[in-house]
Amino acid sequence: MSAPTSHENTYDLRGRVALVAGAHGGLGQAVCLRLLASGATVYALGHGHDDAAAQLRSLAGSDGERLHVISANARDEADVSAAITALVDAESRLDILVNLIGGFAAGKPVTEMETDTFTGMLDLNLRPTYLLSKYAARVMERIGYGRIINISSRAAVSGRRNAAAYAVAKAGVITLSEAQAEEVRESGVTVNAVLPSIIDTPANRAAMPTAHFDKWPTPEQIARVITFLASDDAGLISGASIPVYGRA
């Protein structure tokens, strides 16, 4: 992965402050780099990812002057509240929140699934989005502007065998996005969900070596959609669930 070059199309996000949660994975890095290339100041939130944070700084190049790293446990409410308070104390605003934290576990039908697997998927895929959106929206409503972009999944709208816990959690992200979009509609804040299918990452290629990789969307392609939703140009869009399946 490389930082976007100056001649690539970007949106004008100069003066905007973004918080990217789950910033150190493949999609997270692509989103951070795209937002930085568009002029935003970016706070990359992770938990125990020092090596990935260093790599992100290296990839950002000169844009790294506007990159800050926050370590926080996004499943802990006190940690989330403190992280957003520290960000706002430093910047006096928060304009963009991208919720990327999540993970996948499957393998058993509902009748055989351990309850811990079910609750664990909710805790990983839905709880951070709820907590971060809760505290970020308070700031955004106060300043009269904001963009919240949540990452759901194609699995949320097309059930798959042996993946009920993940699908339910990601469906919850969609419903949370729709409900909060209505709650903040008069405040200048928008809330949308992006639904990837399988993303073309090294880990997914290794897990599915016989798949047609050329049909999968890349992190950079999805990052462009997210950056659009983070821009002023997307101000009319709120409560939407946007598929980014590629040709998968």
Side-chain angles (χ1 to χ4, degrees):
M1 184 189 301
S2 59
T5 56
S6 59
H7 67 273
E8 290 185 282
N9 293 330
T10 58
Y11 294 93
D12 187 358
L13 299 180
R14 288 174 294 180
R16 300 297 188 194
V17 178
L19 174 62
V20 180
H24 304 315
L27 180 56
Q29 285 194 348
V31 169
C32 288
L33 294 174
R34 177 56 51 186
L35 293 174
L36 287 166
S38 298
T41 295
V42 175
Y43 281 73
L45 187 147
H47 188 52
H49 295 282
D50 292 343
D51 291 344
Q55 182 186 36
L56 180 57
R57 287 189 183 281
S58 176
L59 290 169
S62 60
D63 288 334
E65 296 176 359
R66 287 178 280 105
L67 174 65
H68 307 273
V69 175
I70 304 177
S71 180
N73 179 359
R75 289 185 271 184
D76 182 278
E77 186 161 7
D79 252 22
V80 169
S81 176
I84 290 181
T85 297
L87 186 159
V88 175
D89 285 347
E91 302 291 344
S92 301
R93 63 186 303 117
L94 172 58
D95 304 284
I96 300 160
L97 169 66
V98 185
N99 283 311
L100 292 161
I101 295 173
F104 177 78
K108 293 183 180 180
V110 172
T111 52
E112 299 175 17
M113 183 189 304
E114 293 84 358
T115 301
D116 285 350
T117 298
F118 185 82
T119 57
M121 283 289 92
L122 294 175
D123 192 50
L124 178 58
N125 288 287
L126 184 54
R127 182 178 175 87
T129 299
Y130 153 69
L131 288 174
L132 287 157
S133 298
K134 173 181 180 177
Y135 287 96
R138 292 179 180 180
V139 178
M140 294 172 177
E141 287 185 289
R142 188 169 69 245
I143 66 175
Y145 180 92
R147 301 284 186 264
I148 297 175
I149 303 106
N150 299 321
I151 304 303
S152 179
S153 169
R154 186 177 191 171
V157 294
S158 57
R160 292 176 50 193
R161 292 170 59 91
N162 302 335
Y166 175 76
V168 167
K170 288 301 190 181
V173 171
I174 292 176
T175 302
L176 176 67
S177 302
E178 292 172 344
Q180 192 172 32
E182 288 300 317
E183 293 168 357
V184 301
R185 189 170 295 279
E186 301 300 323
S187 67
V189 180
T190 66
V191 187
N192 293 290
V194 173
L195 283 61
S197 57
I198 302 170
I199 303 173
D200 187 5
T201 64
N204 284 338
R205 287 193 176 209
M208 292 166 275
T210 62
H212 295 285
F213 309 138
D214 60 321
K215 293 185 177 182
W216 296 348
T218 67
E220 291 77 15
Q221 289 172 323
I222 297 172
R224 288 176 179 272
V225 175
I226 291 170
T227 304
F228 164 67
L229 292 172
S231 73
D232 289 351
D233 290 350
L236 294 179
I237 304 171
S238 194
S241 297
I242 299 172
V244 285
Y245 304 160
R247 294 183 293 120

